[in-house]
Amino acid sequence: MSGSGAPGPGAAPCRFAHYFVLCGIDAESGLEPDELAGENFDQSPLRRTFKSKVLAHYPQNIEWNPFDQDAVNMLCMPKGLSFRTQADNRDPQLHSFIITREDGSRTYGFVLTFYEEVTSKQICTAMQTLYQMHNAEQYSSVCASSSCSMDSLASSIDEGDATSLAKLQRYNSYDISRDTLYVSKCICLITPLPFMQACKKFLIQLYKAVTSQQPPPLPLESYIHNILYEVPLPPPGRSLKFYGVYEPIICQRPGPNELPLSDYPLREVFELLGLENLVQVFTCVLLEMQILLYSQDYQRLMTVAEGITTLLFPFQWQHVYVPILPASLLHFLDAPVPYLMGLQSKEGTDRSKLELPQEANLCFVDIDNHFIELPEEFPQFPNKLEFIQEISEVLLQFGIPPEGNLHCSDSATKLKNLVLSDLVNDKKNGNIPSNALNMYELLKGNETIARLQALAKRTGVTMEKITTPLTEKKDGKLSCEELELRDYKLNVQLREVFANRFTQMFADYEAFVIQAAPDMESWLTNREQMQNFDKASFLSDQPEPYLPFLSHFIETQMFATFIDNKIISQWEEKDPFLRVFDSRIEKIKLYNVRAPALRTSNYQKCSTLKEAAQSIEQRLMKIDHTAIHPHLLDMKIGQGKYEQGFFPKLQSDVLATGPTNNNRWASRSTTTQRRKDRLRQHSEHIGLDNDLREKYMQEARSLGKNLRQPKLSDLSPAVIAQTNWKFVEGLLKECRMKTKRMLVEKMGHEAVELGHGEANITGLEENTLIASLCDLLERIWSHGLQVKQKENPERGQRNKGKSALWSHLLQYQEREEKQEHSAESPVAVGTERRKSDTGITLPTLRVSLIQDMRHVQNMSEIKTDVGRARAWIRLSLEKKLLSQHLKQLLSNQALAKKLYKRYAFLRCEEEREQFLYHLLSLNAVDYFCFTSVFTTIMIPYRSVIIPIKKLSNAITTSNPWICVSGELGDTGVMQIPKNHLEMTFECQNLGKLTTVQIGHDNSGLLAKWLVDCVMVRNEITGHTYKFPCGRWLGKGVDDGSLERILIGELVSSTSDEELGKQCRTPPQQKSPTVARRLSITSLTGRNTKPNAGQIQEGIGEAVNNIVKHFHKPEKERGSLTILLCGENGLVAALEQVFHHGFKSARIFHKNVFIWDFIEKAVAYLETSDQIGDNEEALLLQRSSCKTFCHYVNAINTAPRNIGKDGKFQILVCLGTRDHLLSQWIPLLAECPPITRMYEENALLRDRMTVNSLIRVLQTLQDFNIILEGSLIKGVDV
């Protein structure tokens, strides 16, 4: 809905109304049941639906807005014709509708439905016959059933709302001789802009002219001709007065820098939903979920849909938008795309009876019962509490309770007994009482009005007239206008509050727009490959609390379209919404002299409420334009004679065309049109061919969208099939885009090298992308689902937010388990047997779809099917089995045929294969999306200790123990069963594994033990970690250590290698350095001695990796333990420095270690300290001497059996943590033992090298380093 409302050429766009339509019963074709409406023939004939027809529409057609007869008929009378007798309520009702064309442009319809007496004898007789047949059937079926109670009869006749015998008889009888039959008819205006209040007034006056005892001043044709051809649209920023049958009508249009036109009263939306509910639904709409509105009343559906989409400014809903879904179009609910639809609830039906194809991502809004059902996982709107508080203040100023109006939130039971006439009372559904007096009588008891009055008294506004029965019509009219003005003011103030939130949130959005293309043609051609918005930088610039919402929101189509419009505005006129939004941001920047990059989560209230309300008030008080008065037309005399209560047959020749250009606005518009045409021709010469350009534009704008708007009119099977085919193509395209995005974001530097742009995915973004993949899979599994199959086979009861994918999995599981007793269920052999040089292996982990389901079913933390489906997707993704599992699930074709209609995505073989292929590409990267999300579940682990048999005994006689640590916790010390090298244990999720402590008590004859490595596997995800050791455990061997801390690395499975190791992301744990073994004392590295240059480079790289670690956002950091103690960590790099030039590592056949030098240095420093040398340099160094000695002694006295190299590791870790390393190095470089233990050319004896080492280590001073508990356990400093 564009504020400009200029759909095409000619004087057309300037007309207030495009068509006048009359719908009702076609006397010639008589009573035709409406099969498409799916009505039940058990219902009494008066309650059935019959086909309605468009009886007349004027003009016949307009080229810029062709008349769509089927769609208009369906939306004017969504339930078809309805019949009443004189005993029924026959109040007229108003509703509106919207037709969204495939290109996204909109047309509005405003409809007044009233009842007219049936004069055709033929139709009355047909109705009587239907009743006789119906009664005979009812009677025979009731007598046949054992319980012939009136209650059962009543419920079978009228779905539960016929509660008494009197009602039963009333509904169940029509006697041609006694009853008068009435049928519904409607008059409708179709307009380019949503002038709801003005159209409503015009139609009511037209209806009054038909029902009043006096004929109208002029024939009705005069008024209809006037509004169709002589009333222009008010220009932007102006107001217009035109004339109805009895009274003038005023409408106004916002100026170019104001919020776009919205005429639907937001007061009603807040009263119907309540503030809290509305903000939640609004958030679901922003995140493009599926929104289903549910109400008995069409106008409520329309008011809520239009109200919520209006609040999205500057964004626009980009997907299927059908606020009133006619009964014949219920298959639209099958759409596997985001949608916003309104469904009429039948009287007396319960929400639980409503079967929907998919509910996993559904926000269900029961308007009449003041109740919403939300999807399971969705983030809250930023600053939600302050936001609600600010809106409450605006509502209370207008006397509206933020919790909504109590009249709307009656319990469902009361509503069941309400007939539509009772709904008139709350005046919130736009129903019109039979006369004006009635309205004010009804308002008397209204709580809102009472509050409004009290407030008005305080503010000095006189409102007494509202509640007193009207003495003068004039007073009543003033009060009505006053209420209308209040509604206008409330509307604009509420919209300002919402718009202000986005202005604050996206004040700096322009800085992150990527303008990559030199011209529009190249941009449109390469649109799909281009990144238009720097999402990672934008998110890193936002306050932490905003991130969960914003990371989801910037992935939506509405945000993508907003950014596209921004880029296109370089070459074309700015989109009206964007123009207004940008001007607001400019204003903010003028008033706020804040640094643009500085974002705070401080809440800033809207400051423009007063001005916005004033500009509307001024327009309505001071009329800018007046249209031509209705006048007599050149009509044939005697036709269309006035007959009270009957809408006359209009003379079509006078209404078919308008006057020739005899008024100013028409000629003015043609001049501007000629100017536009000249410009267009000019642009055609210099730019693209226009048709091609339009095609490109549509393709670019629909990127990522599936099907913007299905056609309402044509319901042939071929069109339904075509629509579903578009859905299938759209789903496949979306899958391709999503998997590509997930890969590019995850592949880090490899992706950059492959030319995919800057890579920097955040943990937050990864989670968002995975959640959106889960949503896509749910939508694919919901497409073409047979609804009747939806009951859960395990549990019959309804489950909140049922998942189509999980339902399919459960049925597959059930079938497989039945076959299991005769043969093993299909098992794909997955991970290889992991062998070491000892032949000891980790047993193969069975790859099984059913087994993974059982893991998820055992997770008591997950309560719903949607949650289980999402957990299963995450687990399969982490195990790199998602594509394989889904292929296996879909290989059961008999089950797929039973569950899905022929047109379903899952039954389109070629597309399904491509879809599985796209998912297979995700195996190229490592995800931890299951481990990192389900942090509290119990997980079974299996560990294997692999000794080096050639050089030592496989089994030690002592009592070994192990302690496994991960990012989320550790297991504590666990004794390994004697004579066993393998054990399984269960504990709370440890996250990614980081270290293993292994040791023994040195008892028995064969205590010494040479361990090659320890392997630990997570038995649910299959992730296997290798903890290399290659050292002895035992007294008197190696460095005499009885326990060691081993640092882990993730082992890639062979299936990864088969997928092509070249595209694997390096595991996060390894730092990206040249692989080389640094520890000289270790078994493997003795031969290769690096030179001084390599050692210095190694130190620089180790420190640099730690600095980079701290410059990443907290959620994206890897393991600090690995950067300190891993293969290329800081400890290993410093070990190299200390080993360089170290005099022979063996003296008198005894190993000498760095720790021996450290101890000698401590002995010297402690004694030299006591000598008390008075040099100033020593005074400065005394405190560092003290701490160094204290730390070394604490490590030596710790109650742990750590060897000398292990002690050096602890010292380096503590020195790094407490920022002391740079103070200790000069102490060691200058103490006398260095000359005895190091060669002349050693790095530690070279002053320049030592100084540069100190400078490098000082760069770590700024960081708060937290060590893993396992590294320094038992050391008390």
Side-chain angles (χ1 to χ4, degrees), residues 40 54 179 378-379 489 891 1064 1221:
N40 184 356
V54 173
D179 295 320
F378 80 102
K489 283 176 160 179
S891 64
R1064 263 195 88 254
L1221 279 183

Side-chain angles (χ1 to χ4, degrees), residues 844-908:
T844 305
L845 189 65
R846 206 177 75 155
V847 174
S848 153
L849 163 62
I850 302 290
Q851 192 52 48
D852 285 348
M853 281 186 70
R854 287 181 189 142
H855 285 315
V856 171
Q857 284 163 327
N858 293 336
M859 290 163 63
S860 56
E861 297 81 353
I862 304 177
K863 309 290 184 215
T864 62
D865 284 356
V866 172
R868 289 182 192 101
R870 290 191 169 217
W872 182 84
I873 293 167
R874 285 174 177 274
L875 177 58
S876 305
L877 194 56
E878 186 163 323
K879 293 178 82 165
K880 305 192 178 189
L881 292 171
L882 183 59
S883 182
Q884 187 181 328
H885 277 350
L886 292 176
K887 189 173 187 173
Q888 190 180 330
L889 174 67
L890 295 169
S891 64
N892 188 330
Q893 291 185 343
L895 181 60
K897 278 181 180 168
K898 177 187 157 200
L899 295 179
Y900 289 92
K901 296 170 188 160
R902 182 65 202 91
Y903 62 72
F905 181 91
L906 296 177
R907 290 187 61 190
C908 301

Side-chain angles (χ1 to χ4, degrees), residues 87 202 245 317 383 465 481 515 582 584 634-635 682 690 818 1084 1233 1257:
F202 180 82
V245 182
W317 179 256
N383 294 112
K465 293 157 189 153
E481 280 167 9
Q515 307 272 16
D582 281 354
R584 285 166 174 248
D634 185 13
M635 286 168 64
H682 178 62
N690 229 30
K818 276 179 190 165
T1084 48
L1257 291 173

Side-chain angles (χ1 to χ4, degrees), residues 57 59 123 262 277 281 303 307 317 349 370 420 485 549 571 763 765 774 801 847 913 1093 1100 1217 1270:
H57 68 277
I123 289 170
S262 165
N277 282 350
V281 175
T303 302
W317 179 256
T349 48
H370 212 65
L420 278 173
L485 178 61
F549 171 80
W571 307 294
E765 237 177 317
C774 293
V847 174
E913 286 308 308
R1217 182 192 71 183
S1270 60

Side-chain angles (χ1 to χ4, degrees), residues 283 286-287 315 378-383 501-507 509 512 533-556 559 599-601 741 762 764-765 768-769:
T283 311
L286 282 170
L287 299 177
F315 307 104
F378 80 102
Q380 295 299 327
F381 193 71
N383 294 112
R501 285 312 321 121
F502 290 122
T503 318
Q504 300 290 348
M505 258 190 270
F506 293 99
Y509 85 94
F512 303 97
F533 192 71
D534 185 353
K535 293 174 180 172
S537 304
F538 174 76
L539 290 174
S540 66
D541 198 32
Q542 303 307 311
E544 183 78 18
Y546 288 16
L547 293 178
F549 171 80
L550 285 176
S551 61
H552 279 76
F553 179 65
I554 62 175
E555 296 295 333
T556 60
F559 185 76
R599 304 294 289 150
T600 69
S601 53
R741 174 83 204 280
T762 64
L764 185 77
E765 237 177 317
T768 306
L769 292 174

Side-chain angles (χ1 to χ4, degrees), residues 624-899:
D624 297 304
H625 302 280
T626 305
I628 297 171
H629 278 257
H631 50 85
L632 271 172
L633 301 170
D634 185 13
M635 286 168 64
K636 298 186 182 85
I637 296 170
Q639 281 193 3
K641 202 169 99 244
Y642 175 74
E643 194 179 339
Q644 187 183 351
F646 291 92
F647 200 88
K649 187 175 189 325
L650 300 170
Q651 289 190 25
S652 51
D653 50 345
V654 295
L655 292 176
T657 53
T660 47
N661 288 343
N662 63 347
N663 51 3
R664 289 164 313 184
W665 58 269
S667 56
R668 186 173 67 224
S669 68
T670 46
T671 332
T672 55
Q673 192 55 43
R674 274 199 294 274
R675 199 180 308 126
K676 275 186 189 166
D677 285 345
R678 274 203 304 276
L679 279 169
R680 196 181 72 237
Q681 284 161 7
H682 178 62
S683 73
E684 278 171 15
H685 289 305
I686 60 170
L688 283 160
D689 166 51
N690 229 30
D691 294 341
L692 190 66
R693 180 192 184 110
E694 195 52 42
K695 179 169 160 274
Y696 272 141
M697 282 294 295
Q698 281 312 112
E699 279 180 12
R701 285 186 170 141
S702 68
L703 194 71
K705 265 178 255 187
N706 301 298
L707 180 67
R708 188 165 195 168
Q709 197 65 18
K711 242 176 120 57
L712 286 175
S713 44
D714 190 353
L715 289 176
S716 63
V719 169
I720 291 174
Q722 179 63 27
T723 301
N724 277 297
W725 180 241
K726 282 186 181 173
F727 282 145
V728 168
E729 285 183 323
L731 286 170
L732 187 62
K733 186 176 181 183
E734 196 179 340
C735 180
R736 188 183 76 235
M737 307 268 288
K738 277 197 163 61
T739 49
K740 181 179 169 186
R741 174 83 204 280
M742 286 171 76
L743 278 173
V744 170
E745 294 288 20
K746 185 75 179 173
M747 280 166 66
H749 295 284
E750 294 170 31
V752 178
E753 284 157 24
L754 294 169
H756 287 301
E758 183 62 37
N760 37 8
I761 189 168
T762 64
L764 185 77
E765 237 177 317
E766 179 181 309
N767 219 9
T768 306
L769 292 174
I770 288 167
S772 104
L773 177 72
C774 293
D775 165 42
L776 174 67
L777 292 180
E778 277 297 354
R779 286 193 276 121
I780 285 174
W781 255 257
S782 304
H783 183 237
L785 185 66
Q786 305 272 16
V787 178
K788 61 178 180 293
Q789 293 292 346
K790 272 306 285 280
E791 283 310 319
N792 191 326
E794 278 197 344
R795 303 168 292 285
Q797 83 270 25
R798 288 182 60 82
N799 210 332
K800 180 190 179 303
K802 285 195 299 182
S803 157
L805 172 59
W806 191 249
S807 169
H808 191 170
L809 282 165
L810 285 172
Q811 301 204 39
Y812 176 81
Q813 182 183 25
E814 197 179 21
R815 289 183 172 212
E816 290 298 312
E817 284 172 349
K818 276 179 190 165
Q819 294 165 15
E820 237 174 36
H821 57 83
S822 54
E824 275 296 308
S825 70
V827 168
V829 178
T831 45
E832 80 291 5
R833 298 190 74 77
R834 307 191 180 281
K835 294 200 174 171
S836 70
D837 55 1
T838 60
I840 296 170
T841 65
L842 266 174
T844 305
L845 189 65
R846 206 177 75 155
V847 174
S848 153
L849 163 62
I850 302 290
Q851 192 52 48
D852 285 348
M853 281 186 70
R854 287 181 189 142
H855 285 315
V856 171
Q857 284 163 327
N858 293 336
M859 290 163 63
S860 56
E861 297 81 353
I862 304 177
K863 309 290 184 215
T864 62
D865 284 356
V866 172
R868 289 182 192 101
R870 290 191 169 217
W872 182 84
I873 293 167
R874 285 174 177 274
L875 177 58
S876 305
L877 194 56
E878 186 163 323
K879 293 178 82 165
K880 305 192 178 189
L881 292 171
L882 183 59
S883 182
Q884 187 181 328
H885 277 350
L886 292 176
K887 189 173 187 173
Q888 190 180 330
L889 174 67
L890 295 169
S891 64
N892 188 330
Q893 291 185 343
L895 181 60
K897 278 181 180 168
K898 177 187 157 200
L899 295 179

Side-chain angles (χ1 to χ4, degrees), residues 186 524 629 734 976 1071 1215:
C186 72
L524 290 170
H629 278 257
E734 196 179 340
I976 300 167
S1071 31

